Amino acid sequence: MIFFARFPAIAYCLLIISNAQAIFKWTTHSAAYRTDDCQPWVLPVVKKVEKIIVEDQSLNHEYLPILGLPEFRCSASKIALGEESPAIKEKRVGGVQCLGGTGALKVGAEYLRRWYNGNNNTGTPVYVSTPTWENHNGVFVDAGFQDIRTYRYWEPEKRGLALGGFLADLENAPERSIIVLHACAHNPTGTDPTQQEWMQIADVMKRRSLFPFFDSAYQGFASGSLEKDAWAVRYFVSQGFEIFCAQSFSKNFGLYNERVGNLTVVANDGENLARVLSQMEKIVRTTWSNPPSQGARLVAVTLTTPELFEEWKGNVKTMADRVLLMRAQLKAKLQGLGTPGTWDHITQQIGMFSFTGLNPKQVEFLIKEKHVYLMASGRINMCGLTSKNIDYVAESIHEAVTKIQ
Ligand SMILES: Cc1ncc(COP(=O)(O)O)c(C=O)c1O
Ligand SMILES: *[C@@H]1O[C@H](CO)[C@@H](O)[C@H](O)[C@H]1NC(C)=O
Ligand SMILES: *[C@@H]1O[C@H](CO)[C@@H](O)[C@H](O)[C@H]1NC(C)=O
């Protein structure tokens, strides 16, 4: 039995996995990586760094500074913006260590509600993609924003990006609206704009003075390359935008339960940056006071030690490659079976998720008759596929598509 989605995973775990901890993890974090044996993966580099930290007699458990572990906040590798970023050289980039990518989104949203576009600003429209990760809406609503809107993103007929609708919605957004953008590996569609398309998006956003708030939860995981996955964020910065970027290290370090995130702030000058960070310090002070250290240490040590950094990139690529392999095999198997329709979108999409394009009736057939579980929207978590079940899944999809229109 194969399960791809949140709720049916409960049934899966009850039937297949007896380990209570595994049940808990898989049901609550369905957006998590799994090995070809369907197991969680502790990155080898993380194991190594954990040992280094245990042996390091200089470390203690004193409170960290409010804005986070200094080595984490400005670690040498500068993976979001790139080592050579002029904005970094001009000292107008800062980071706030947050509790996961979610915490980074929340601190950013709180700041914007308080200080962007006037004080106590609850009326500025916030745009999220439709569909999007369900938490985007909640985070901004809870931060006090009252006008959450959507921009078009997914075109079902094309099984791809609704670029025209996306650009039109940006064009019609009131000036200074906040636009939440997925930096890479869009959740849930697995569909990202191409570099050319990002340029068009940036063009409109600049002309309309829209504020980009990037959510970067899958850097490195999508393509296997940190650089490639950060392209959009770096491009916006190169175009002179001020941005926020919520970076999560949950997926690319496999540190889901350590809650490691970083809110990158790119301001137009150093003075503005200092003002923003001092306000963020106030927000953090009344939210979690100061952040936890273990995950941030693991990330900082890895990123600042050249050999470990290289090893980490290899580990990330291992995860990305497994997903890419499953995509290629699923497509090839469907094509081999002569399953009606085109399946190119399976390999065009990237990251953990795929919008298969299966309709609700076909999904129901897969769940009820085949015990292959996926979301009603047709979204699958590619990590649910393994070398052992991929034939069965492909044959089941074939049957669903040929039997049910
Ligand atoms: C698009 C997106 N943003 C943010 C997150 C949250 O990451 P974290 O666990 O670091 O809070 C996720 C996790 O699923 C996600 O898919
Ligand atoms: C956190 O963000 C800041 C600002 O972009 C950056 O300098 C720092 O390297 C980031 N930390 C990590 C661990 O990526
Ligand atoms: C902020 O604005 C909202 C809605 O305009 C209002 O209800 C609230 O009282 C204001 N809060 C403060 C602290 O001014």
Side-chain angles (χ1 to χ4, degrees), residues 31 100-102 105 133 136 182 187 215 217-218 248 250-251 259-260:
T102 310
L105 286 165
W133 182 50
H136 281 157
H182 296 232
N187 178 2
D215 180 356
Y218 297 92
S248 165
S250 302
K251 329 275 167 172
R259 313 309 299 137
V260 206

Side-chain angles (χ1 to χ4, degrees), residues 56-231:
D56 187 339
Q57 299 303 322
S58 72
L59 298 177
N60 55 46
H61 292 286
E62 292 298 290
Y63 285 123
L64 294 186
I66 296 172
L67 293 182
L69 187 74
E71 307 87 282
F72 177 87
R73 292 184 55 216
C74 45
S75 50
S77 350
K78 317 252 184 331
I79 60 172
L81 301 183
E83 204 86 57
E84 298 303 317
S85 171
I88 295 178
K89 295 200 173 112
E90 292 156 20
K91 299 195 187 331
R92 53 191 183 86
V93 179
V96 179
Q97 185 192 330
C98 292
L99 270 64
T102 310
L105 286 165
K106 186 64 193 283
V107 169
E110 281 286 340
Y111 171 87
L112 291 171
R113 201 262 299 137
R114 290 171 198 214
W115 298 111
Y116 176 72
N117 213 3
N119 299 350
N120 186 30
N121 144 54
T122 56
T124 296
V126 177
Y127 282 78
V128 299
S129 65
T130 177
T132 192
W133 182 50
E134 70 268 5
N135 222 6
H136 281 157
N137 206 61
V139 163
F140 282 88
V141 168
D142 280 1
F145 284 98
Q146 294 169 350
D147 190 3
I148 315 287
R149 305 184 188 185
T150 56
Y151 58 86
R152 278 168 282 177
Y153 195 83
W154 172 254
E155 199 162 305
E157 302 75 39
K158 220 176 95 189
R159 296 183 183 176
L161 186 74
L163 183 69
F166 188 170
L167 293 175
D169 291 341
L170 293 176
E171 199 72 68
N172 293 323
E175 283 193 359
R176 297 173 70 87
S177 295
I178 295 159
I179 315 292
V180 180
L181 299 163
H182 296 232
C184 68
H186 183 268
N187 178 2
T189 67
T191 297
D192 288 349
T194 62
Q195 295 186 358
Q196 287 302 321
E197 289 166 343
W198 274 122
M199 288 176 178
Q200 289 174 266
I201 292 161
D203 247 22
V204 179
M205 286 186 60
K206 199 168 196 181
R207 189 155 36 73
R208 304 284 309 142
S209 304
L210 305 174
F211 181 81
F213 194 150
F214 280 98
D215 180 356
S216 177
Y218 297 92
Q219 189 183 357
F221 199 98
S223 67
S225 147
L226 293 171
E227 311 294 314
K228 217 171 155 188
D229 289 356
W231 191 89

